[in-house]
Amino acid sequence: DQADVAVDVNLFPASATRPDLVAGNGATITAAYTDAVPSQTVTASASVETAAPAFSNLVPASGYASSTTTQTLFVDVTDAQSGVVSGSIAFSIGIDANANGILDAGEVNGGLLAAATPPVAITGGFRRQQTTAALGEGSYVWSVTATDTAGNVAVLDLDSVPAGDQAVKLQIDTTPPTFVTPQTGLTG
């Protein structure tokens, strides 16, 4: 995955077709050009960064159930290579209408989110939180997207094995339990 690449630019005159360079994540590409007058060699290097940001510390955790209709969502977003663009971290939420655990495009409801707080710097990235609007009773899924400074976009995916981007499941249950038939006279 990581192999450094070097190219001597002098081998390719201006009229020549330049080669395609193939390099994996973490590789360094170095180009060198030697000029005859004045006699000098100029080099420049760039690192290849193809890894998207990573998500951790998701709160509430997937499967969380609550009777509180307003929830505060938290996530840590990190990228050890190029860094996270703080303004790119965005939450989305919606009712899981087809119960597949994926926040499908038709399920996203921006009206379910209240104002977000600014990201807070953490080691290697940012922590972001956003409060929901008052949610009605039901099954919801929430997700996060983020971009690093190299332009790699990440979409939260709790389980990479099945297809789709599995989001965080959240259940709002405001109906108190009821007793069907109370029993009396029991002693313990």
Side-chain angles (χ1 to χ4, degrees):
D1 191 41
Q2 178 178 340
D4 292 342
V5 177
V7 63
D8 183 347
V9 180
N10 289 37
L11 298 176
F12 306 97
S15 61
T17 301
R18 302 296 195 269
D20 290 334
L21 301 178
V22 179
N25 187 45
T28 300
I29 298 175
T30 303
Y33 172 76
T34 303
D35 195 355
V37 178
S39 180
Q40 66 179 4
T41 299
V42 178
T43 62
S45 295
S47 295
V48 177
E49 205 276 87
T50 60
F55 303 105
S56 62
N57 300 323
L58 301 164
V59 176
S62 192
Y64 179 75
S66 177
S67 61
T68 304
T69 60
T70 302
Q71 297 289 314
T72 301
L73 313 176
F74 291 88
V75 66
D76 288 351
V77 184
T78 55
D79 187 292
Q81 290 181 307
S82 67
V84 177
V85 177
S86 65
S88 74
I89 305 168
F91 287 94
S92 53
I93 189 170
I95 294 175
D96 193 8
N98 57 11
N100 65 355
I102 298 171
L103 186 57
D104 300 309
E107 296 173 337
V108 175
N109 184 341
L112 297 177
L113 293 172
T117 59
V120 175
I122 60 172
T123 302
F126 295 91
R127 174 169 293 132
R128 182 79 187 264
Q129 73 179 54
Q130 184 155 8
T131 303
T132 68
L135 302 174
E137 189 165 287
S139 297
Y140 295 85
V141 283
W142 65 271
S143 189
V144 182
T145 58
T147 305
D148 66 17
T149 60
N152 300 307
V153 177
V155 178
L156 177 67
D157 188 357
L158 292 181
D159 187 355
S160 61
V161 175
D165 297 318
Q166 284 70 36
V168 178
K169 297 176 184 178
L170 172 65
Q171 182 71 36
I172 302 298
D173 182 1
T174 58
T175 305
T178 58
F179 294 103
V180 178
T181 307
Q183 293 185 2
T184 59
L186 298 176
T187 59

